[in-house]
């Protein structure tokens, strides 16, 4: 039996996540419109900078819990990298669907809303209730595959 488009795109996010060098959580994301992938990304440091598997994790060193103090990290989130990649290549993502291995944080939720994304499909929960509130208020459809 052929997998659904949703299953197919979620499998691709898992493959994209394998590129991540984050020591805490490997995240992959793709933006899709009309069943076509527009851009993909994973969490990691800015272009040309050393990766966390080389430098160590500042958040671990400072015992920062997941979902807090996002600014104390070398890396960009997968969602941020996808939006940046689309912008760099002149790809219009408005009206697209985000497929992500994990629930977006509040920083990414605000970017996703402003990018005009209409739907977010994710699997892994993330401790950020404010992000869910932002999506609800903005009318972005959320699909959590974990139930």
């Amino acid at each position: 039996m052929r997998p659904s488009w949703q299953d197919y795109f979620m499998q691709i996010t898992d493959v994209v996540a394998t590129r991540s060098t984050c020591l805490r959580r490997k995240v992959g994301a793709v933006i899709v419109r009309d069943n076509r992938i527009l851009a993909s990304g994973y969490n990691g440091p800015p272009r040309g900078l050393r990766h966390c598997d080389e430098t160590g994790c500042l958040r671990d060193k400072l015992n920062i819990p997941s979902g807090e103090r996002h600014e104390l990290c070398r890396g960009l989130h997968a969602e941020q990298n996808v939006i940046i990649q689309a912008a760099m290549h002149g790809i219009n993502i408005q009206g697209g669907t985000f497929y992500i291995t994990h629930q977006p944080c509040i920083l990414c939720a605000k970017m996703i809303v402003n990018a005009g994304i209409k739907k977010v499909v994710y699997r892994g929960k993330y401790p950020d209730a404010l992000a869910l509130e932002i999506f609800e208020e903005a009318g972005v459809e959320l699909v959590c595959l974990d139930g």
Side-chain angles (χ1 to χ4, degrees), residues 8 10-11 24 48 53 65 76 83 88 98 103 111 145:
Y8 175 72
M10 287 306 295
Q11 289 171 6
R24 285 184 140 193
D53 57 2
L76 289 102
I83 292 169
M88 285 179 60
F98 238 113
Q103 174 195 318
M111 291 178 70
L145 300 177

Side-chain angles (χ1 to χ4, degrees), residues 38-53:
L38 302 176
S40 65
Y42 53 90
N43 55 331
R47 183 182 314 265
L49 300 186
R50 291 181 299 147
H51 289 260
C52 300
D53 57 2

Side-chain angles (χ1 to χ4, degrees), residues 5-38:
W5 282 110
Q6 182 172 274
D7 292 339
Y8 175 72
F9 292 127
M10 287 306 295
Q11 289 171 6
I12 292 172
T13 66
D14 291 332
V15 172
V16 171
T18 65
R19 297 280 300 143
S20 172
T21 55
C22 179
L23 301 175
R24 285 184 140 193
R25 183 186 318 255
K26 295 185 182 309
V27 180
V30 297
I31 299 175
V32 173
R33 191 174 54 233
D34 300 325
N35 292 329
R36 296 184 192 278
I37 295 173
L38 302 176

Side-chain angles (χ1 to χ4, degrees), residues 73-142:
C73 178
R74 297 178 58 81
L76 289 102
H77 292 184
E79 302 93 326
Q80 294 166 339
N81 270 327
V82 176
I83 292 169
I84 291 166
Q85 284 301 309
M88 285 179 60
H89 296 285
I91 299 169
N92 178 4
I93 59 173
Q94 187 173 6
T97 298
F98 238 113
Y99 290 87
I100 313 166
T101 55
H102 295 77
Q103 174 195 318
C105 71
I106 183 62
L107 299 173
C108 293
K110 292 184 285 188
M111 291 178 70
I112 289 167
V113 168
N114 270 5
I117 298 296
K118 298 300 178 198
K119 183 176 180 179
V120 174
V121 180
Y122 64 95
R123 205 172 23 241
K125 302 271 186 173
Y126 189 72
D128 197 331
L130 185 55
L132 298 177
E133 290 176 28
I134 291 290
F135 284 132
E136 183 178 347
E137 185 176 340
V140 173
E141 180 185 353
L142 288 180

